[in-house]
């Protein structure tokens, strides 16, 4: 066979093989890696979505919690996984902030992943153990400023949004608290409930039920507007802390090299899950909501990550907080 005929035959095989891959996919159980502990806010969102995505894809999605180092160990696991469409990562905005917070990362957030789509936006809440003295946000600000040296602030490590929120809080109050790192705000919440730590800035997907049950105290939310779910709870901004605006965006990623048609198929499953009435209702009950459908695409998530890395870089550099 001549070289040109051989090349032609190889191309034909490749062209025939590509649709076959998409048609058969997925053919076995899949894994969604969550870079924080079970029972926490990222885990809650992931389990809600994995169930509905499984129904659309016709294959089970196992949620695996790969914890530690503020979410970077889980992200690294996926960066180094087979690019075959059977491993994905659900991570929040820590994917963007870690790029600056860590002087060295074992992966490149922008170039070691493919993109599936954005997921949900989740507000954050400043909370404390239920017997914390201040009655409201004004009292909280005065009390924390006066007693900073004796207070503890829980977080989920450098790269976690609880750490970022705590950092903004300490910066806004010009107060240095003792920080206590966990592998997720699931276990941090357990210690807040037990009174082992004083304060936790966490996502409403983890705080709402506890605040409603009266097992922790809420002082403010980090959104520009008050939440429908908690109309009496002030925003941190209206309480005089203008830098405390944080809404936690999330995205789903696959390892670099995962074929585009697979990422598109996963994006479709994600769109179906996020449009599900039950999912929307459960998210609303936790103070969250899916992003608009046009953001649940590979291109939209890529743009979001690029924009957010650029947005947080100068803020983190100005704060001078790094992990090595
Ligand atoms: C978690 O799921 O534990 C949180 O998202 C951790 C954090 O970023 O604060």
């Amino acid at each position: 066979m001549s070289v040109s005929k051989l090349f032609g035959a190889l191309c034909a095989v490749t062209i025939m093989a590509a649709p076959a891959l998409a048609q058969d996919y997925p053919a076995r159980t899949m894994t969604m890696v969550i870079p924080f502990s079970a029972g926490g806010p990222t885990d809650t969102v992931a389990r809600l979505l994995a169930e509905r995505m499984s129904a659309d894809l016709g294959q089970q999605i196992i949620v695996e919690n790969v914890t530690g180092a503020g979410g970077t160990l889980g992200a690294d696991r996926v960066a180094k996984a087979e690019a075959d469409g059977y491993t994905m990562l659900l991570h929040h905005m820590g994917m963007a902030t870690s790029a600056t917070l860590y002087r060295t990362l074992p992966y490149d957030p922008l170039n070691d992943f493919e993109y599936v789509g954005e997921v949900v936006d989740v507000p954050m809440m400043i909370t404390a153990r239920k017997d914390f003295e201040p009655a409201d946000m004004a009292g909280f600000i005065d009390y924390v400023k006066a007693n900073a040296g004796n207070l503890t602030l829980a977080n989920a490590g450098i790269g976690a949004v609880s750490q970022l929120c705590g950092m903004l809080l300490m910066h806004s109050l010009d107060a240095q608290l003792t920080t206590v790192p966990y592998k997720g705000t699931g276990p941090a919440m357990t210690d807040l409930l037990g009174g082992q730590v004083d304060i936790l800035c966490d996502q409403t997907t983890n705080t709402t039920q506890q605040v409603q049950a009266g097992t922790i105290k809420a002082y403010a939310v980090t959104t520009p507007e008050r939440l429908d779910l908690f109309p009496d709870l002030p925003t941190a901004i209206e309480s005089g802390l203008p830098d405390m605006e944080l809404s936690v965006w999330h995205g789903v990623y696959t390892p670099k090299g995962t074929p585009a048609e697979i990422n598109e198929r996963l994006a479709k499953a994600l769109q179906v899950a996020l449009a599900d009435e039950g999912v929307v209702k459960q998210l609303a009950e936790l103070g969250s909501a899916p992003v608009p459908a046009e953001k649940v695409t590979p291109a939209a998530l890529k743009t979001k990550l690029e924009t957010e890395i650029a947005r947080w870089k100068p803020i983190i550099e100005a704060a001078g907080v790094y992990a090595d």
Side-chain angles (χ1 to χ4, degrees), residues 36 68-73 91-92 94 97-103 105 107 155-164 167 179-183 316 320-324:
F36 297 103
T72 61
L73 295 186
H91 199 345
H92 57 40
T97 55
S98 300
T100 307
L101 282 167
Y102 284 79
R103 290 185 209 275
L105 272 180
Y107 57 89
N155 68 39
I158 294 182
V161 287
S162 45
Q163 186 264 343
L164 186 65
M167 191 180 89
T179 55
V180 184
Y182 295 81
K183 289 186 173 179
I316 293 165
V321 186
Y322 297 102
D324 288 310

Side-chain angles (χ1 to χ4, degrees), residues 22-198:
Q23 270 166 22
D24 294 348
Y25 175 82
R28 57 181 167 84
T29 300
M30 310 163 83
T31 300
M32 182 184 273
V33 171
I34 308 304
F36 297 103
S37 309
T42 319
D43 186 74
T44 298
V45 169
R47 286 178 200 272
L48 209 58
L49 292 177
E51 195 188 326
R52 303 308 196 286
M53 287 177 76
S54 288
D56 186 62
L57 290 161
Q59 289 291 342
Q60 195 189 358
I61 299 176
I62 292 171
V63 173
E64 187 185 346
N65 303 85
V66 180
T67 64
T72 61
L73 295 186
D76 189 45
R77 161 78 72 89
V78 176
K80 296 182 170 59
E82 282 290 311
D84 57 5
Y86 290 92
T87 306
M88 59 190 126
L89 169 73
L90 190 149
H91 199 345
H92 57 40
M93 58 190 283
M95 191 75 168
T97 55
S98 300
T100 307
L101 282 167
Y102 284 79
R103 290 185 209 275
T104 53
L105 272 180
Y107 57 89
D108 177 343
L110 269 178
N111 295 309
D112 286 348
F113 298 89
E114 304 290 347
Y115 304 87
V116 173
E118 282 190 57
V119 183
V120 292
D121 286 333
V122 186
M124 298 196 79
M125 217 182 244
I126 300 169
T127 69
R129 58 180 159 76
K130 84 170 182 202
D131 53 355
F132 202 56
E133 289 80 347
D136 56 21
M137 188 57 181
F140 177 92
I141 291 172
D142 291 343
Y143 186 85
V144 172
K145 280 182 171 176
N147 296 282
N150 298 319
L151 296 175
T152 50
L153 173 65
N155 68 39
I158 294 182
V161 287
S162 45
Q163 186 264 343
L164 186 65
C165 189
M167 191 180 89
L168 290 176
L169 181 67
M170 290 191 286
H171 176 74
S172 298
L173 301 182
D174 193 19
Q176 190 58 48
L177 281 68
T178 302
T179 55
V180 184
Y182 295 81
K183 289 186 173 179
T185 53
M189 179 60 76
T190 303
D191 274 7
L192 191 71
L193 289 166
Q196 281 92 13
V197 286
D198 299 312

